[in-house]
């Protein structure tokens, strides 16, 4: 089954990180907030930007989820967990990458997954008599700059097939948006393959729409039009706080 959630790599462009970011015709503005956030230790980052509990809140009469959400960075995630994340990504999305304009390179993808400022929300199934704890989903994100904006950028979000459709993806996206809101960034961004209509519908329900910097169709010399294979979506985080279900509270 094709994945519900895909972030096709369109690496956010950094604009003089640590120095200045230019807004249109305005004078450059010093923006240390993103750099300061990314320098924080794992514990400090979580305390500043994430809820005290990363798991869904319990609802009276409903069973507790059989999984745990764990927070890691690219420097603290274990090789075993990183391999599990890569396997999820490759099994669900390698073919979609390969036929897109981005292309598929396992080596480049593994390198991207170790980018210094990348953070991970790992979905860990709780151990039972039949299985050990295992990574069955993840979301990776970064506080960064994109086209002059301070943003939280979703790099990847993947779930094992049997966990899709249970609200887990929405919960992970909500956690990422909470981090962006608490960090004071302007919007949340991600990239999705055009062919992944299920993901497009999912993100639309969460309030995402095509970003102004999403690639446009290109007119070729022979007169044909080449359509982009991916679209950049964004959602403003400036209109209110965001809860862990991806909803904005006004």
């Amino acid at each position: 089954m094709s994945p519900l959630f895909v972030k096709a790599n369109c690496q956010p462009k950094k604009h003089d990180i640590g120095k200045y970011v230019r807004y249109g015709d305005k004078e450059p503005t010093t923006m240390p907030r993103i750099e300061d956030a990314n320098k924080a230790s794992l514990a400090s980052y979580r305390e500043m930007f994430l809820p005290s509990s990363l798991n869904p809140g319990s609802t009276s009469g409903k069973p507790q989820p059989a999984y745990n959400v764990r927070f890691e960075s690219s420097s603290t995630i274990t090789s075993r967990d990183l391999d599990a994340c890569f396997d999820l990504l490759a099994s669900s999305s390698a073919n979609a990458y390969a036929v897109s304009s981005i292309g598929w390179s396992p080596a480049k993808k593994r390198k991207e997954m170790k980018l210094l400022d990348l953070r991970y929300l790992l979905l860990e199934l709780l151990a039972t008599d039949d299985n050990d704890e295992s990574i069955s989903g993840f979301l990776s994100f970064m506080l960064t700059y994109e086209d002059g904006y301070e943003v939280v950028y979703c790099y990847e979000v993947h779930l094992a097939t049997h966990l899709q459709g249970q609200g887990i993806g929405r919960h992970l996206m909500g956690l990422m948006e909470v981090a962006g809101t608490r960090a004071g960034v302007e919007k949340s961004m991600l990239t999705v393959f055009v062919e992944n209509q299920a993901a497009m519908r999912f993100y639309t329900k969460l309030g995402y729409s095509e970003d102004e910097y999403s690639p446009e169709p290109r007119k070729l010399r022979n007169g044909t039009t080449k359509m982009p294979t991916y679209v950049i979506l964004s959602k403003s985080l400036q209109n209110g706080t965001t809860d862990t279900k991806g909803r904005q509270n006004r």
Side-chain angles (χ1 to χ4, degrees):
M1 179 183 293
S2 61
L4 176 59
F5 314 113
V6 175
K7 190 279 172 185
N9 175 32
C10 179
Q11 185 174 337
K13 296 181 285 297
K14 296 187 177 181
H15 297 259
D16 295 321
I17 298 286
K19 296 181 181 178
Y20 304 99
V21 176
R22 184 176 295 278
Y23 286 85
D25 296 328
K26 296 181 181 180
E27 289 299 314
T29 304
T30 303
M31 305 185 87
R33 179 165 47 194
I34 295 295
E35 291 82 0
D36 287 346
N38 287 329
K39 288 178 181 177
S41 67
L42 189 70
S44 295
Y45 192 107
R46 174 170 176 171
E47 182 179 359
M48 288 188 295
F49 304 125
L50 291 169
S52 57
S53 174
L54 300 182
N55 294 332
S58 61
T59 302
S60 178
K62 291 189 177 182
Q64 291 285 348
Y67 62 84
N68 178 61
V69 179
R70 177 157 50 89
F71 180 59
E72 300 287 351
S73 70
S74 60
S75 59
T76 64
I77 188 171
T78 67
S79 296
R80 177 184 177 183
D81 287 346
L82 193 66
D83 287 344
C85 291
F86 178 84
D87 290 344
L88 275 171
L89 188 162
S91 64
S92 65
S93 303
N95 290 339
Y97 273 101
V99 300
S100 74
S101 59
I102 298 167
W104 172 248
S105 168
K108 288 182 179 179
K109 178 54 65 176
R110 284 185 177 274
K111 183 177 180 180
E112 179 192 273
M113 293 175 75
K114 291 293 290 181
L115 287 174
L116 181 62
D117 296 332
L118 207 60
R119 301 295 189 271
Y120 284 84
L121 295 167
L122 303 177
L123 185 72
E124 192 172 55
L125 290 184
L126 300 181
T128 66
D129 293 337
D130 299 323
N131 65 275
D132 297 325
E133 291 185 352
S134 59
I135 302 301
S136 297
F138 76 98
L139 183 151
S140 57
F141 69 96
M142 184 187 295
L143 294 173
T144 186
Y145 299 100
E146 179 72 7
D147 293 300
Y149 292 98
E150 290 181 321
V151 307
V152 57
Y153 210 109
C154 178
Y155 270 68
E156 302 283 351
V157 52
H158 298 271
L159 294 176
T161 303
H162 68 280
L163 294 177
Q164 295 178 11
Q166 301 181 34
I168 300 173
R170 178 185 290 270
H171 177 68
L172 294 178
M173 290 291 294
L175 289 173
M176 179 196 71
E177 291 173 10
V178 167
T181 299
R182 291 185 177 181
V185 304
E186 296 187 55
K187 55 185 176 179
S188 173
M189 299 183 71
L190 56 91
T191 310
V192 62
F193 290 121
V194 172
E195 68 175 28
N196 195 341
Q197 290 301 303
M200 292 286 287
R201 290 191 294 271
F202 170 76
Y203 294 126
T204 298
K205 289 180 180 179
L206 292 185
Y208 286 82
S209 58
E210 187 169 348
D211 189 78
E212 60 183 317
Y213 292 104
S214 188
E216 298 180 351
R218 291 192 297 115
K219 197 79 170 181
L220 303 182
R221 290 181 178 180
N222 61 10
T224 61
T225 300
K226 186 174 182 178
M227 301 300 294
T229 56
Y230 63 88
V231 60
I232 298 174
L233 304 179
S234 64
K235 172 182 177 179
S236 173
L237 299 180
Q238 293 291 304
N239 297 325
T241 58
T242 301
D243 64 19
T244 55
K245 292 185 179 180
R247 301 173 303 200
Q248 286 194 321
N249 301 319
R250 300 179 184 279

